[in-house]
Short mmCIF file of all heavy atoms in Angstrom, two decimals:
data_model
loop_
_atom_site.label_atom_id
_atom_site.label_comp_id
_atom_site.label_asym_id
_atom_site.label_seq_id
_atom_site.Cartn_x
_atom_site.Cartn_y
_atom_site.Cartn_z
N PHE A 113 164.08 65.17 152.13
CA PHE A 113 165.24 64.64 152.82
C PHE A 113 165.02 63.15 153.03
O PHE A 113 163.93 62.72 153.40
CB PHE A 113 165.42 65.34 154.16
CG PHE A 113 166.62 64.87 154.91
CD1 PHE A 113 167.88 65.26 154.54
CD2 PHE A 113 166.48 64.01 155.97
CE1 PHE A 113 168.99 64.83 155.23
CE2 PHE A 113 167.57 63.57 156.68
CZ PHE A 113 168.84 63.98 156.30
N TYR A 114 166.05 62.35 152.77
CA TYR A 114 165.95 60.90 152.89
C TYR A 114 167.26 60.38 153.47
O TYR A 114 168.34 60.79 153.04
CB TYR A 114 165.70 60.30 151.51
CG TYR A 114 165.80 58.80 151.44
CD1 TYR A 114 164.75 58.00 151.85
CD2 TYR A 114 166.95 58.18 150.95
CE1 TYR A 114 164.83 56.61 151.77
CE2 TYR A 114 167.04 56.81 150.87
CZ TYR A 114 165.98 56.03 151.28
OH TYR A 114 166.06 54.67 151.20
N ARG A 115 167.18 59.48 154.43
CA ARG A 115 168.38 58.87 155.00
C ARG A 115 168.11 57.38 155.24
O ARG A 115 167.06 57.00 155.74
CB ARG A 115 168.76 59.54 156.31
CG ARG A 115 170.02 58.92 156.92
CD ARG A 115 170.47 59.66 158.12
NE ARG A 115 171.19 60.84 157.65
CZ ARG A 115 171.55 61.83 158.43
NH1 ARG A 115 171.23 61.85 159.69
NH2 ARG A 115 172.21 62.85 157.94
N GLN A 116 169.11 56.57 154.91
CA GLN A 116 169.00 55.12 155.08
C GLN A 116 170.33 54.57 155.58
O GLN A 116 171.39 54.97 155.12
CB GLN A 116 168.64 54.46 153.75
CG GLN A 116 168.61 52.96 153.77
CD GLN A 116 168.30 52.38 152.39
OE1 GLN A 116 167.74 53.06 151.55
NE2 GLN A 116 168.67 51.14 152.18
N SER A 117 170.27 53.64 156.51
CA SER A 117 171.46 52.95 157.01
C SER A 117 171.17 51.46 157.03
O SER A 117 170.03 51.05 157.23
CB SER A 117 171.80 53.40 158.43
OG SER A 117 172.10 54.77 158.46
N ASP A 118 172.20 50.67 156.84
CA ASP A 118 172.01 49.22 156.93
C ASP A 118 172.99 48.61 157.92
O ASP A 118 173.83 49.30 158.50
CB ASP A 118 172.10 48.56 155.55
CG ASP A 118 173.48 48.65 154.91
OD1 ASP A 118 174.44 49.03 155.61
OD2 ASP A 118 173.60 48.33 153.73
N SER A 119 172.89 47.32 158.11
CA SER A 119 173.71 46.63 159.12
C SER A 119 175.18 46.53 158.73
O SER A 119 176.02 46.27 159.58
CB SER A 119 173.14 45.23 159.37
OG SER A 119 173.15 44.47 158.18
N ALA A 120 175.51 46.75 157.46
CA ALA A 120 176.91 46.69 157.00
C ALA A 120 177.63 48.03 157.20
O ALA A 120 178.80 48.15 156.87
CB ALA A 120 176.97 46.29 155.53
N GLY A 121 176.93 49.02 157.74
CA GLY A 121 177.54 50.32 157.99
C GLY A 121 177.47 51.29 156.84
O GLY A 121 178.15 52.32 156.85
N VAL A 122 176.66 50.99 155.84
CA VAL A 122 176.50 51.88 154.70
C VAL A 122 175.39 52.88 155.00
O VAL A 122 174.31 52.51 155.45
CB VAL A 122 176.16 51.09 153.41
CG1 VAL A 122 175.92 52.03 152.25
CG2 VAL A 122 177.27 50.11 153.09
N ARG A 123 175.66 54.15 154.78
CA ARG A 123 174.67 55.21 155.01
C ARG A 123 174.47 55.99 153.72
O ARG A 123 175.43 56.42 153.10
CB ARG A 123 175.13 56.15 156.11
CG ARG A 123 174.20 57.35 156.27
CD ARG A 123 174.68 58.28 157.31
NE ARG A 123 174.14 57.82 158.59
CZ ARG A 123 174.33 58.46 159.72
NH1 ARG A 123 175.08 59.53 159.77
NH2 ARG A 123 173.80 58.00 160.82
N ILE A 124 173.22 56.16 153.35
CA ILE A 124 172.85 56.94 152.16
C ILE A 124 172.04 58.14 152.63
O ILE A 124 171.08 58.00 153.39
CB ILE A 124 172.02 56.09 151.17
CG1 ILE A 124 172.83 54.89 150.70
CG2 ILE A 124 171.57 56.94 149.99
CD1 ILE A 124 172.03 53.89 149.91
N THR A 125 172.44 59.32 152.18
CA THR A 125 171.72 60.55 152.49
C THR A 125 171.40 61.26 151.19
O THR A 125 172.27 61.41 150.33
CB THR A 125 172.56 61.47 153.38
OG1 THR A 125 172.97 60.74 154.55
CG2 THR A 125 171.80 62.69 153.80
N ARG A 126 170.15 61.69 151.05
CA ARG A 126 169.72 62.38 149.83
C ARG A 126 168.86 63.58 150.21
O ARG A 126 167.95 63.47 151.02
CB ARG A 126 168.91 61.42 148.96
CG ARG A 126 168.55 61.99 147.62
CD ARG A 126 167.87 60.95 146.75
NE ARG A 126 168.76 59.84 146.50
CZ ARG A 126 168.41 58.56 146.57
NH1 ARG A 126 167.18 58.22 146.88
NH2 ARG A 126 169.29 57.62 146.33
N TRP A 127 169.16 64.72 149.62
CA TRP A 127 168.43 65.96 149.86
C TRP A 127 168.02 66.51 148.50
O TRP A 127 168.86 66.69 147.62
CB TRP A 127 169.32 66.95 150.60
CG TRP A 127 168.65 68.21 150.98
CD1 TRP A 127 167.51 68.35 151.71
CD2 TRP A 127 169.08 69.53 150.67
NE1 TRP A 127 167.20 69.67 151.87
CE2 TRP A 127 168.16 70.42 151.23
CE3 TRP A 127 170.16 70.03 149.96
CZ2 TRP A 127 168.27 71.79 151.11
CZ3 TRP A 127 170.28 71.40 149.85
CH2 TRP A 127 169.35 72.26 150.43
N THR A 128 166.72 66.78 148.31
CA THR A 128 166.20 67.19 147.01
C THR A 128 165.31 68.43 147.14
O THR A 128 164.09 68.31 147.22
CB THR A 128 165.40 66.03 146.37
OG1 THR A 128 166.17 64.84 146.45
CG2 THR A 128 165.10 66.31 144.92
N PRO A 129 165.89 69.62 147.17
CA PRO A 129 165.07 70.84 147.20
C PRO A 129 164.58 71.19 145.79
O PRO A 129 165.19 70.80 144.79
CB PRO A 129 166.03 71.90 147.72
CG PRO A 129 167.37 71.43 147.26
CD PRO A 129 167.32 69.92 147.29
N GLY A 130 163.48 71.91 145.73
CA GLY A 130 162.95 72.30 144.42
C GLY A 130 162.02 73.49 144.52
O GLY A 130 161.51 73.83 145.59
N LEU A 131 161.77 74.11 143.37
CA LEU A 131 160.88 75.25 143.28
C LEU A 131 160.07 75.11 142.00
O LEU A 131 160.63 74.88 140.92
CB LEU A 131 161.68 76.56 143.24
CG LEU A 131 160.89 77.84 143.01
CD1 LEU A 131 160.00 78.13 144.22
CD2 LEU A 131 161.83 78.99 142.73
N ARG A 132 158.75 75.22 142.12
CA ARG A 132 157.86 75.14 140.96
C ARG A 132 157.02 76.42 140.90
O ARG A 132 156.46 76.85 141.90
CB ARG A 132 156.93 73.94 141.06
CG ARG A 132 156.00 73.83 139.86
CD ARG A 132 155.05 72.68 140.00
NE ARG A 132 155.81 71.45 140.04
CZ ARG A 132 155.26 70.26 140.29
NH1 ARG A 132 153.98 70.16 140.55
NH2 ARG A 132 156.01 69.18 140.30
N VAL A 133 156.94 77.00 139.68
CA VAL A 133 156.17 78.22 139.47
C VAL A 133 155.21 77.98 138.32
O VAL A 133 155.59 77.43 137.29
CB VAL A 133 157.11 79.41 139.13
CG1 VAL A 133 156.30 80.66 138.81
CG2 VAL A 133 158.08 79.66 140.26
N THR A 134 153.96 78.40 138.50
CA THR A 134 152.95 78.31 137.45
C THR A 134 152.36 79.70 137.22
O THR A 134 151.97 80.37 138.17
CB THR A 134 151.82 77.34 137.85
OG1 THR A 134 152.39 76.05 138.09
CG2 THR A 134 150.80 77.21 136.75
N TYR A 135 152.32 80.11 135.97
CA TYR A 135 151.75 81.40 135.60
C TYR A 135 150.55 81.14 134.68
O TYR A 135 150.70 80.53 133.62
CB TYR A 135 152.79 82.27 134.89
CG TYR A 135 152.23 83.58 134.40
CD1 TYR A 135 151.91 84.59 135.29
CD2 TYR A 135 152.03 83.80 133.05
CE1 TYR A 135 151.39 85.79 134.85
CE2 TYR A 135 151.52 85.00 132.60
CZ TYR A 135 151.19 85.99 133.50
OH TYR A 135 150.69 87.17 133.08
N ARG A 136 149.39 81.57 135.11
CA ARG A 136 148.17 81.37 134.31
C ARG A 136 148.05 82.49 133.29
O ARG A 136 147.86 83.65 133.65
CB ARG A 136 146.94 81.31 135.20
CG ARG A 136 145.69 80.92 134.44
CD ARG A 136 144.55 80.62 135.36
NE ARG A 136 144.81 79.56 136.30
CZ ARG A 136 144.63 78.25 136.05
NH1 ARG A 136 144.22 77.87 134.87
NH2 ARG A 136 144.88 77.37 136.98
N VAL A 137 148.16 82.15 132.00
CA VAL A 137 148.09 83.12 130.91
C VAL A 137 146.63 83.44 130.61
O VAL A 137 146.25 84.61 130.52
CB VAL A 137 148.80 82.58 129.65
CG1 VAL A 137 148.72 83.58 128.51
CG2 VAL A 137 150.23 82.23 129.97
N LEU A 138 145.83 82.42 130.43
CA LEU A 138 144.39 82.53 130.23
C LEU A 138 143.70 81.62 131.23
O LEU A 138 144.37 80.93 132.00
CB LEU A 138 144.01 82.14 128.79
CG LEU A 138 144.63 82.98 127.67
CD1 LEU A 138 144.34 82.35 126.32
CD2 LEU A 138 144.11 84.41 127.71
N GLN A 139 142.39 81.55 131.18
CA GLN A 139 141.67 80.72 132.15
C GLN A 139 142.06 79.24 132.02
O GLN A 139 142.14 78.54 133.03
CB GLN A 139 140.16 80.88 131.97
CG GLN A 139 139.36 80.13 133.01
CD GLN A 139 137.87 80.39 132.88
OE1 GLN A 139 137.44 81.21 132.09
NE2 GLN A 139 137.10 79.68 133.67
N GLN A 140 142.34 78.78 130.80
CA GLN A 140 142.66 77.37 130.60
C GLN A 140 144.12 77.12 130.21
O GLN A 140 144.52 75.98 130.04
CB GLN A 140 141.75 76.78 129.52
CG GLN A 140 140.29 76.74 129.92
CD GLN A 140 139.42 76.24 128.80
OE1 GLN A 140 139.56 76.68 127.67
NE2 GLN A 140 138.54 75.31 129.12
N VAL A 141 144.90 78.15 130.07
CA VAL A 141 146.28 78.01 129.59
C VAL A 141 147.24 78.54 130.65
O VAL A 141 147.06 79.64 131.18
CB VAL A 141 146.49 78.78 128.27
CG1 VAL A 141 147.94 78.66 127.81
CG2 VAL A 141 145.55 78.27 127.20
N SER A 142 148.27 77.76 130.96
CA SER A 142 149.27 78.22 131.92
C SER A 142 150.66 77.75 131.49
O SER A 142 150.80 76.80 130.73
CB SER A 142 148.96 77.71 133.33
OG SER A 142 148.83 76.32 133.34
N VAL A 143 151.65 78.45 131.96
CA VAL A 143 153.05 78.12 131.72
C VAL A 143 153.64 77.66 133.06
O VAL A 143 153.45 78.32 134.08
CB VAL A 143 153.83 79.33 131.17
CG1 VAL A 143 155.30 79.00 131.00
CG2 VAL A 143 153.24 79.80 129.87
N GLU A 144 154.34 76.53 133.03
CA GLU A 144 154.92 75.97 134.25
C GLU A 144 156.43 75.89 134.12
O GLU A 144 156.96 75.62 133.05
CB GLU A 144 154.37 74.57 134.50
CG GLU A 144 152.89 74.52 134.72
CD GLU A 144 152.39 73.11 134.96
OE1 GLU A 144 153.03 72.15 134.52
OE2 GLU A 144 151.34 72.99 135.60
N SER A 145 157.11 76.11 135.22
CA SER A 145 158.56 76.01 135.27
C SER A 145 158.96 75.38 136.60
O SER A 145 158.36 75.66 137.63
CB SER A 145 159.18 77.40 135.14
OG SER A 145 160.58 77.30 135.17
N GLU A 146 159.95 74.52 136.54
CA GLU A 146 160.41 73.86 137.76
C GLU A 146 161.94 73.78 137.76
O GLU A 146 162.55 73.43 136.75
CB GLU A 146 159.82 72.46 137.86
CG GLU A 146 160.23 71.73 139.12
CD GLU A 146 159.57 70.37 139.26
OE1 GLU A 146 158.70 70.05 138.45
OE2 GLU A 146 159.94 69.64 140.18
N LEU A 147 162.52 74.10 138.89
CA LEU A 147 163.96 74.01 139.09
C LEU A 147 164.19 73.18 140.34
O LEU A 147 163.64 73.49 141.40
CB LEU A 147 164.58 75.40 139.25
CG LEU A 147 166.06 75.47 139.59
CD1 LEU A 147 166.90 74.90 138.45
CD2 LEU A 147 166.46 76.90 139.88
N SER A 148 164.97 72.12 140.23
CA SER A 148 165.24 71.29 141.40
C SER A 148 166.66 70.74 141.32
O SER A 148 167.29 70.73 140.27
CB SER A 148 164.22 70.15 141.53
OG SER A 148 164.25 69.32 140.40
N ALA A 149 167.13 70.29 142.46
CA ALA A 149 168.47 69.72 142.57
C ALA A 149 168.41 68.49 143.46
O ALA A 149 167.50 68.35 144.28
CB ALA A 149 169.44 70.74 143.14
N GLU A 150 169.37 67.61 143.29
CA GLU A 150 169.47 66.43 144.15
C GLU A 150 170.92 66.28 144.59
O GLU A 150 171.82 66.21 143.75
CB GLU A 150 169.01 65.18 143.41
CG GLU A 150 169.12 63.93 144.25
CD GLU A 150 168.65 62.69 143.50
OE1 GLU A 150 167.44 62.55 143.32
OE2 GLU A 150 169.51 61.90 143.10
N TYR A 151 171.11 66.26 145.89
CA TYR A 151 172.44 66.07 146.46
C TYR A 151 172.44 64.73 147.18
O TYR A 151 171.64 64.51 148.09
CB TYR A 151 172.76 67.20 147.44
CG TYR A 151 172.64 68.56 146.82
CD1 TYR A 151 171.53 69.35 147.06
CD2 TYR A 151 173.63 69.05 145.98
CE1 TYR A 151 171.40 70.60 146.48
CE2 TYR A 151 173.51 70.30 145.40
CZ TYR A 151 172.40 71.07 145.66
OH TYR A 151 172.27 72.30 145.08
N SER A 152 173.31 63.83 146.77
CA SER A 152 173.32 62.48 147.31
C SER A 152 174.72 62.12 147.79
O SER A 152 175.72 62.45 147.15
CB SER A 152 172.87 61.51 146.21
OG SER A 152 172.89 60.19 146.67
N LYS A 153 174.77 61.44 148.93
CA LYS A 153 176.05 60.98 149.48
C LYS A 153 175.86 59.58 150.03
O LYS A 153 174.90 59.30 150.73
CB LYS A 153 176.53 61.91 150.58
CG LYS A 153 177.89 61.52 151.13
CD LYS A 153 178.38 62.52 152.15
CE LYS A 153 179.75 62.11 152.64
NZ LYS A 153 180.27 63.04 153.64
N SER A 154 176.77 58.70 149.67
CA SER A 154 176.76 57.32 150.14
C SER A 154 178.12 57.03 150.76
O SER A 154 179.16 57.23 150.13
CB SER A 154 176.49 56.38 148.96
OG SER A 154 176.55 55.04 149.37
N SER A 155 178.13 56.57 152.01
CA SER A 155 179.40 56.30 152.68
C SER A 155 179.30 55.00 153.47
O SER A 155 178.24 54.62 153.93
CB SER A 155 179.78 57.46 153.60
OG SER A 155 178.78 57.65 154.57
N GLY A 156 180.42 54.35 153.57
CA GLY A 156 180.50 53.11 154.31
C GLY A 156 181.93 52.61 154.36
O GLY A 156 182.86 53.31 153.93
N PRO A 157 182.12 51.39 154.85
CA PRO A 157 183.48 50.85 154.98
C PRO A 157 184.20 50.66 153.65
O PRO A 157 185.41 50.78 153.56
CB PRO A 157 183.28 49.50 155.67
CG PRO A 157 181.89 49.47 156.15
CD PRO A 157 181.12 50.50 155.42
N THR A 158 183.46 50.37 152.57
CA THR A 158 184.09 50.07 151.28
C THR A 158 183.79 51.09 150.20
O THR A 158 184.28 50.95 149.09
CB THR A 158 183.65 48.69 150.78
OG1 THR A 158 182.22 48.68 150.65
CG2 THR A 158 184.10 47.60 151.73
N ARG A 159 182.96 52.10 150.49
CA ARG A 159 182.68 53.10 149.46
C ARG A 159 182.41 54.47 150.07
O ARG A 159 181.94 54.59 151.19
CB ARG A 159 181.53 52.67 148.56
CG ARG A 159 180.18 52.78 149.19
CD ARG A 159 179.11 52.50 148.16
NE ARG A 159 177.87 52.17 148.83
CZ ARG A 159 176.77 51.86 148.24
NH1 ARG A 159 176.75 51.80 146.93
NH2 ARG A 159 175.68 51.58 148.93
N ASN A 160 182.71 55.47 149.24
CA ASN A 160 182.47 56.86 149.62
C ASN A 160 182.17 57.61 148.33
O ASN A 160 183.09 57.95 147.59
CB ASN A 160 183.69 57.43 150.34
CG ASN A 160 183.38 58.75 150.97
OD1 ASN A 160 182.23 59.16 151.07
ND2 ASN A 160 184.43 59.45 151.38
N GLU A 161 180.89 57.85 148.05
CA GLU A 161 180.49 58.47 146.79
C GLU A 161 179.58 59.66 147.07
O GLU A 161 178.85 59.68 148.05
CB GLU A 161 179.70 57.48 145.92
CG GLU A 161 180.44 56.22 145.57
CD GLU A 161 179.55 55.21 144.87
OE1 GLU A 161 178.32 55.39 144.84
OE2 GLU A 161 180.10 54.24 144.35
N SER A 162 179.62 60.62 146.17
CA SER A 162 178.67 61.73 146.24
C SER A 162 178.34 62.16 144.82
O SER A 162 179.15 62.00 143.90
CB SER A 162 179.24 62.90 147.03
OG SER A 162 180.36 63.43 146.38
N SER A 163 177.14 62.69 144.64
CA SER A 163 176.73 63.17 143.32
C SER A 163 175.76 64.34 143.49
O SER A 163 175.04 64.43 144.48
CB SER A 163 176.07 62.06 142.50
OG SER A 163 174.85 61.66 143.08
N ASN A 164 175.79 65.22 142.50
CA ASN A 164 174.89 66.36 142.45
C ASN A 164 174.21 66.35 141.09
O ASN A 164 174.87 66.19 140.06
CB ASN A 164 175.64 67.67 142.61
CG ASN A 164 176.33 67.76 143.94
OD1 ASN A 164 175.89 67.18 144.93
ND2 ASN A 164 177.42 68.49 143.98
N ARG A 165 172.88 66.51 141.10
CA ARG A 165 172.12 66.57 139.85
C ARG A 165 171.23 67.81 139.89
O ARG A 165 170.70 68.16 140.93
CB ARG A 165 171.23 65.34 139.70
CG ARG A 165 172.00 64.07 139.60
CD ARG A 165 171.06 62.91 139.48
NE ARG A 165 171.80 61.67 139.55
CZ ARG A 165 171.26 60.48 139.45
NH1 ARG A 165 169.97 60.36 139.27
NH2 ARG A 165 172.01 59.41 139.52
N TYR A 166 171.06 68.43 138.71
CA TYR A 166 170.24 69.62 138.61
C TYR A 166 169.25 69.42 137.47
O TYR A 166 169.60 68.90 136.42
CB TYR A 166 171.11 70.85 138.33
CG TYR A 166 172.18 71.04 139.38
CD1 TYR A 166 173.47 70.56 139.19
CD2 TYR A 166 171.88 71.66 140.58
CE1 TYR A 166 174.44 70.71 140.15
CE2 TYR A 166 172.85 71.82 141.56
CZ TYR A 166 174.12 71.34 141.33
OH TYR A 166 175.08 71.47 142.29
N TYR A 167 168.00 69.84 137.69
CA TYR A 167 166.94 69.67 136.72
C TYR A 167 166.25 71.01 136.48
O TYR A 167 166.04 71.78 137.41
CB TYR A 167 165.87 68.69 137.24
CG TYR A 167 166.40 67.36 137.65
CD1 TYR A 167 166.72 67.11 138.98
CD2 TYR A 167 166.56 66.33 136.73
CE1 TYR A 167 167.19 65.88 139.39
CE2 TYR A 167 167.03 65.10 137.13
CZ TYR A 167 167.35 64.88 138.46
OH TYR A 167 167.81 63.67 138.86
N TYR A 168 165.87 71.24 135.22
CA TYR A 168 165.07 72.40 134.89
C TYR A 168 164.02 71.98 133.89
O TYR A 168 164.30 71.22 132.95
CB TYR A 168 165.93 73.52 134.30
CG TYR A 168 165.11 74.74 133.96
CD1 TYR A 168 164.61 75.55 134.97
CD2 TYR A 168 164.81 75.05 132.65
CE1 TYR A 168 163.83 76.66 134.68
CE2 TYR A 168 164.04 76.16 132.35
CZ TYR A 168 163.55 76.95 133.37
OH TYR A 168 162.78 78.04 133.07
N TYR A 169 162.81 72.48 134.08
CA TYR A 169 161.70 72.13 133.22
C TYR A 169 160.91 73.40 132.91
O TYR A 169 160.66 74.21 133.80
CB TYR A 169 160.80 71.11 133.92
CG TYR A 169 159.42 70.99 133.34
CD1 TYR A 169 159.18 70.27 132.19
CD2 TYR A 169 158.34 71.61 133.96
CE1 TYR A 169 157.91 70.17 131.66
CE2 TYR A 169 157.07 71.52 133.44
CZ TYR A 169 156.86 70.79 132.29
OH TYR A 169 155.61 70.70 131.78
N LEU A 170 160.53 73.56 131.65
CA LEU A 170 159.67 74.66 131.23
C LEU A 170 158.65 74.08 130.27
O LEU A 170 159.02 73.39 129.30
CB LEU A 170 160.48 75.77 130.54
CG LEU A 170 159.68 76.93 129.99
CD1 LEU A 170 159.02 77.71 131.13
CD2 LEU A 170 160.58 77.84 129.16
N GLY A 171 157.39 74.29 130.55
CA GLY A 171 156.37 73.71 129.71
C GLY A 171 155.06 74.47 129.78
O GLY A 171 154.90 75.39 130.57
N GLY A 172 154.15 74.04 128.93
CA GLY A 172 152.83 74.66 128.89
C GLY A 172 151.78 73.65 129.31
O GLY A 172 151.97 72.44 129.24
N ARG A 173 150.64 74.18 129.72
CA ARG A 173 149.55 73.32 130.17
C ARG A 173 148.23 73.90 129.66
O ARG A 173 148.01 75.11 129.74
CB ARG A 173 149.57 73.24 131.69
CG ARG A 173 148.45 72.45 132.28
CD ARG A 173 148.65 72.37 133.76
NE ARG A 173 147.45 71.88 134.40
CZ ARG A 173 147.42 71.32 135.58
NH1 ARG A 173 148.53 71.21 136.28
NH2 ARG A 173 146.31 70.91 136.10
N TYR A 174 147.39 73.02 129.15
CA TYR A 174 146.07 73.40 128.70
C TYR A 174 145.04 72.53 129.45
O TYR A 174 145.09 71.31 129.34
CB TYR A 174 145.92 73.22 127.20
CG TYR A 174 144.53 73.54 126.69
CD1 TYR A 174 144.13 74.87 126.56
CD2 TYR A 174 143.65 72.54 126.35
CE1 TYR A 174 142.85 75.18 126.12
CE2 TYR A 174 142.37 72.83 125.91
CZ TYR A 174 141.98 74.15 125.78
OH TYR A 174 140.72 74.45 125.36
N ASP A 175 144.18 73.14 130.22
CA ASP A 175 143.14 72.42 130.95
C ASP A 175 141.85 72.51 130.16
O ASP A 175 141.37 73.61 129.85
CB ASP A 175 142.94 73.05 132.34
CG ASP A 175 144.17 72.92 133.20
OD1 ASP A 175 144.80 71.86 133.17
OD2 ASP A 175 144.51 73.90 133.91
N PHE A 176 141.28 71.36 129.85
CA PHE A 176 140.01 71.36 129.11
C PHE A 176 138.89 70.78 129.91
O PHE A 176 139.06 70.25 130.96
CB PHE A 176 140.14 70.62 127.76
CG PHE A 176 140.68 69.24 127.89
CD1 PHE A 176 139.82 68.16 128.00
CD2 PHE A 176 142.04 69.00 127.89
CE1 PHE A 176 140.32 66.87 128.10
CE2 PHE A 176 142.55 67.71 127.98
CZ PHE A 176 141.69 66.65 128.09
#
């Protein structure tokens, strides 16, 4: 969670929840997956914006 305000009356709010899962296949090999989202809102006297972003990642990892 992030919030910022300035002297001009502009307020930015950002919330970024996420979930990461790792499954170890072998002692040195694992599969990773991450799902996260970002919800952002900016408001003030001259602007009013909002955006939503979604991310997904699936990958492998080898530890040597």
Side-chain angles (χ1 to χ4, degrees):
F113 181 76
Y114 170 80
R115 180 174 280 169
Q116 175 182 339
S117 298
D118 66 12
S119 60
V122 177
R123 173 182 273 183
I124 299 170
T125 305
R126 187 174 298 136
W127 184 55
T128 312
L131 175 68
R132 180 183 297 173
V133 176
T134 302
Y135 176 72
R136 188 169 301 274
V137 180
L138 300 172
Q139 185 175 354
Q140 295 176 313
V141 178
S142 55
V143 177
E144 298 179 335
S145 180
E146 182 176 353
L147 174 64
S148 60
E150 179 180 287
Y151 304 102
S152 179
K153 183 176 181 180
S154 177
S155 59
T158 59
R159 74 173 161 182
N160 191 12
E161 301 172 349
S162 64
S163 66
N164 298 331
R165 297 179 187 182
Y166 304 96
Y167 305 94
Y168 180 73
Y169 162 79
L170 177 66
R173 177 176 167 158
Y174 177 76
D175 296 319
F176 53 93

